Amino acid sequence: MTIAIHESALIRHFNTRKEVLRAWEERIGARFSPFRGFKMPDSRLYIEDSNFLDSIVDLIITNERHVFIRGPVGSGKSTLMLLALRDLPTLADRRGNKFVTGYVGMTGLYEKQMAAAIADSLRVKYKRSWESSQIIDAVAKESLRRYVEEQSRTALFIEDVADNQEAAFHKLRFLADLPTEEMIDAYGKTRALDEPIVTLVMSGTMIYWNAMLSFLPQIADRTEPLDVPALNNAKAREFIGRRISYAQGRIDSFDPENFDIYPFTDDAITVINTAANGNPRDIRMLARGCQQVAAEILRKNNDPTVNREIAELVSEAYATILKEVQ
Ligand SMILES: Nc1ncnc2c1ncn2[C@@H]1O[C@H](COP(=O)(O)OP(=O)(O)OP(=O)(O)O)[C@@H](O)[C@H]1O
Ligand SMILES: [Mg+2]
């Protein structure tokens, strides 16, 4: 009985909170919170740093190094991978090779799961009963065939690469080293096999990069780490502007040269971005916190503005929480 009473009090509390938030959203013409997390991110919400994206794509195209997209949690590594994946199939390298791409987004994989995930992502056929080495062998053969017969190099994207079992790495290393000596001997007459045919594009934090340096120097030595740049204030402004416009159902007419950030002030965004260190995940969390405070104030004085004072209040509260967590 006691539990039921508490439960309904809790539910009432959350319902009131929801209504308060909803009133703020309605007031700014939004259909949902602009700062909610989306399971499937919409490319119209991406802020593109075309210089950085180009540097990733250029490295893949020149085929000199594997790539490690390096950055803290929430800095946008996965987003950048998706953007690079989008661009690659439309491009060719200096020798005229096109690209076949594969993306492994799951982590915590052991050897066989990794082998299967790679084969699936590259649309290479295999039998469920096969051992991981047989699966990887099939991937290697098919990558070689695509290179020789279809003039296609393979770009394999692996998320949070260090979050997999160590044995899974050896599969990656084998692919990173292709073509093998045997392949060169066998195919060398048909087409010069004088370059890698599989480029690895991995992601992870600095800690994982350092781990890779010490445990997998064979791959690390041939891999270029690229640090995800933080969003500057102008980009943070666009990040918030796009999300508001998206929630208002107006994203298709979004003009990056001229857009509204109402009900946020420029000051508020600068405060948020400074507290977030330009990390998009943290910008979103802080903006959502600001929405909550602004929604409470709206109820009292009928003004939905997120100004500098609100942003400072929320940033300080988050800094305290983060300190306690660490
Ligand atoms: N360039 C960007 N433009 C718009 N939103 C972005 C951008 N980069 C990241 N985000 C958003 O920030 C959040 C975190 O991004 P993402 O998942 O890409 O980071 P991550 O570095 O892969 O994080 P994790 O370490 O948790 O895997 C997502 O909600 C994503 O949509
Ligand atoms: Mg990620």
Side-chain angles (χ1 to χ4, degrees):
M1 197 58 214
T2 332
I3 288 170
I5 290 166
H6 280 226
E7 224 168 48
S8 67
L10 202 63
I11 288 167
R12 246 199 330 274
H13 167 77
F14 279 113
N15 282 343
T16 315
R17 228 172 106 90
K18 236 196 264 168
E19 276 162 32
V20 170
L21 287 173
R22 192 62 217 119
W24 184 89
E25 287 153 17
E26 249 160 48
R27 176 61 179 270
I28 69 159
R31 298 167 189 173
F32 44 82
S33 171
F35 309 111
R36 78 179 189 195
F38 299 104
K39 270 251 142 46
M40 291 301 253
D42 188 308
S43 62
R44 293 170 298 179
L45 292 176
Y46 296 156
I47 315 301
E48 295 193 33
D49 181 337
S50 46
N51 291 334
F52 188 71
L53 183 59
D54 286 351
S55 64
I56 298 176
V57 173
D58 283 349
L59 254 175
I60 301 170
I61 287 181
T62 54
N63 202 15
E64 277 155 20
R65 319 270 280 164
H66 299 291
V67 181
F68 190 98
I69 300 177
R70 188 169 66 182
V73 171
S75 57
K77 302 180 293 293
S78 303
T79 304
L80 278 157
M81 279 200 166
L82 294 176
L83 292 172
L85 273 167
R86 181 200 61 188
D87 286 356
L88 269 182
T90 65
L91 299 170
D93 68 15
R94 268 173 307 172
R95 297 184 178 189
N97 293 305
K98 291 167 293 167
F99 290 92
V100 173
T101 57
Y103 173 79
V104 177
M106 290 165 301
T107 56
L109 304 179
Y110 60 85
E111 211 172 343
K112 171 132 182 207
Q113 288 173 314
M114 176 61 88
I118 291 171
D120 287 337
S121 78
L122 292 171
R123 295 161 304 280
V124 173
K125 293 215 176 75
Y126 61 95
K127 292 215 167 68
R128 284 191 153 272
S129 59
W130 286 3
E131 308 244 328
S132 58
S133 55
Q134 290 174 289
I135 300 174
I136 286 298
D137 227 45
V139 171
K141 288 212 178 77
E142 177 61 7
S143 300
L144 178 69
R145 192 198 63 76
R146 287 171 180 171
Y147 182 79
V148 174
E149 292 177 18
E150 297 174 358
Q151 279 211 42
S152 288
R153 270 168 50 201
T154 297
L156 181 58
F157 289 67
I158 313 272
E159 285 270 26
D160 301 304
V161 65
D163 286 344
N164 297 293
Q165 307 279 314
E166 202 189 319
F169 272 107
H170 297 286
K171 303 292 160 235
L172 292 179
R173 202 180 131 194
F174 177 71
L175 295 176
D177 285 337
L178 292 177
T180 61
E181 291 297 327
E182 285 161 27
M183 287 174 171
I184 295 171
D185 289 344
Y187 270 92
K189 295 150 216 124
T190 338
R191 193 175 168 206
L193 290 179
D194 55 352
E195 62 173 353
I197 60 177
V198 176
T199 301
L200 297 183
V201 185
M202 299 162 278
S203 73
T205 61
M206 181 64 94
I207 292 172
Y208 286 138
W209 167 254
N210 287 335
M212 192 156 124
L213 274 180
S214 34
F215 297 112
L216 278 168
Q218 306 91 337
I219 298 187
D221 285 350
R222 289 183 293 117
T223 301
E224 188 74 26
L226 293 176
D227 286 307
V228 178
L231 299 196
N232 61 23
N233 289 339
K235 292 221 166 71
R237 193 173 180 279
E238 186 179 335
F239 178 94
I240 288 177
R242 275 190 190 271
R243 281 183 165 261
I244 291 172
S245 157
Y246 187 79
Q248 291 168 335
R250 298 191 291 124
I251 188 68
D252 283 322
S253 54
F254 185 86
D255 176 3
E257 300 301 319
N258 179 24
F259 60 89
D260 218 0
I261 49 165
Y262 170 85
F264 283 71
T265 65
D266 281 317
D267 273 7
I269 291 179
T270 307
V271 169
I272 290 171
N273 195 41
T274 306
N277 288 316
N279 181 304
R281 185 203 54 178
D282 293 347
I283 295 170
R284 181 173 75 77
M285 305 269 277
L286 288 166
R288 197 165 57 175
C290 288
Q291 177 194 346
Q292 274 157 14
V293 175
E296 291 290 346
I297 294 172
L298 169 69
R299 196 157 64 149
K300 287 170 204 132
N301 71 0
N302 202 26
D303 178 2
T305 306
V306 176
N307 57 20
R308 178 218 284 255
E309 286 70 36
I310 294 178
E312 278 170 351
L313 192 78
V314 171
S315 300
E316 275 159 31
Y318 269 76
T320 313
I321 293 169
L322 287 179
K323 235 180 264 153
E324 277 165 16
V325 170
Q326 274 166 3

